[in-house]
Amino acid sequence: MIRKATPNDIFHMVRLEKSAFKTTLGEKFLLQELNDNPFSFYYVYELNKTVIGYIGFRVYDDQAEMMNFVVSLDHQDEGYGSQLLSYCLDELEKKDVKTISLEVRKSNKKAQHVYEKMGFKLSHIRKKYYENEDGYVLVKEVKM
Ligand SMILES: CC(C)(COP(=O)(O)OP(=O)(O)OC[C@H]1O[C@@H](n2cnc3c(N)ncnc32)[C@H](O)[C@@H]1OP(=O)(O)O)[C@@H](O)C(=O)NCCC(=O)NCCS
């Protein structure tokens, strides 16, 4: 089940981030995003009452930017990430978003595969965006 994230999910969101990235956006940051930021949209994937993935966007006018996207290691490659992203793209479309952008590590071929499948295209490269690694900026133009 995909649903909006609530402050009760933050513990699990941080756990997922730490296992995938070794770092986290932080509980305080996520709490502000969920409670105080009207431009933020976060969704979780709940499977058997456990949060196994989350995705977050910020939306400004007709532009959306991905903040984070993660599925737990033991449930990757089972289609949940694609479902989560696809669900969000539909929601963003309903909000009349025209352009969606995100950054991904050059080496992150799995994520790039999912983004390309969903219609994202390379916009430009940010040299050494991730300290020692280039970042790809991908953009999806929502069809009218
Ligand atoms: C990226 C991520 C969110 C995708 O979620 P997921 O649930 O694993 O994704 P799905 O199972 O829906 O799809 C994975 C796809 O990648 C493919 N894939 C797996 N390993 C791959 C690789 N090394 N290279 C290319 N494609 C790969 C799978 O075959 C599948 O393709 P398909 O849908 O065409 O069959 C998840 O893997 C993750 O949390 N990764 C770590 C965190 C991360 O990198 N987040 C993105 C930051 S920009």
Side-chain angles (χ1 to χ4, degrees):
M1 172 179 77
I2 295 170
R3 60 168 174 78
K4 280 205 158 190
T6 74
N8 289 336
D9 297 316
I10 289 177
F11 172 81
H12 302 285
M13 294 160 77
V14 167
R15 176 179 51 82
L16 291 170
E17 287 177 322
K18 283 184 176 167
S19 70
F21 306 115
K22 312 281 181 259
T23 58
T24 165
L25 293 175
E27 285 175 27
K28 202 171 154 201
F29 178 89
L30 287 168
L31 189 61
Q32 278 172 354
E33 287 286 271
L34 298 186
N35 276 348
D36 305 327
N37 188 345
F39 305 107
S40 286
F41 298 90
Y42 284 71
Y43 293 89
V44 295
Y45 202 116
E46 192 180 303
L47 185 70
N48 301 327
K49 299 196 175 160
T50 304
V51 172
I52 59 141
Y54 98 82
I55 193 165
F57 287 91
R58 279 185 179 174
V59 178
Y60 301 103
D61 297 325
D62 61 359
Q63 313 272 322
E65 184 187 357
M66 184 186 282
M67 301 298 292
N68 221 346
F69 178 34
V70 58
V71 168
S72 74
L73 278 173
D74 54 341
H75 284 293
Q76 285 182 16
D77 292 330
E78 294 177 8
Y80 297 115
S82 300
Q83 285 181 50
L84 200 46
L85 180 58
S86 172
Y87 181 91
C88 279
L89 295 178
D90 285 349
E91 292 299 303
L92 292 172
E93 218 168 308
K94 285 182 206 159
K95 292 182 203 304
D96 289 330
V97 165
K98 304 277 184 295
T99 310
I100 305 159
S101 63
L102 60 89
E103 279 111 15
V104 59
R105 282 178 185 268
K106 183 181 172 183
S107 63
N108 193 346
K109 299 301 175 197
K110 188 191 294 193
Q112 286 169 34
H113 175 85
V114 174
Y115 299 142
E116 278 160 24
K117 199 173 66 171
M118 300 283 164
F120 284 86
K121 299 209 179 332
L122 179 67
S123 165
H124 55 280
I125 296 171
R126 286 196 174 139
K127 287 278 172 202
K128 304 291 177 226
Y129 183 74
Y130 298 98
E131 292 170 13
N132 57 350
E133 189 177 350
D134 293 349
Y136 286 173
V137 178
L138 306 187
V139 171
K140 179 180 165 80
E141 305 289 346
V142 178
K143 300 227 168 51
M144 302 293 292

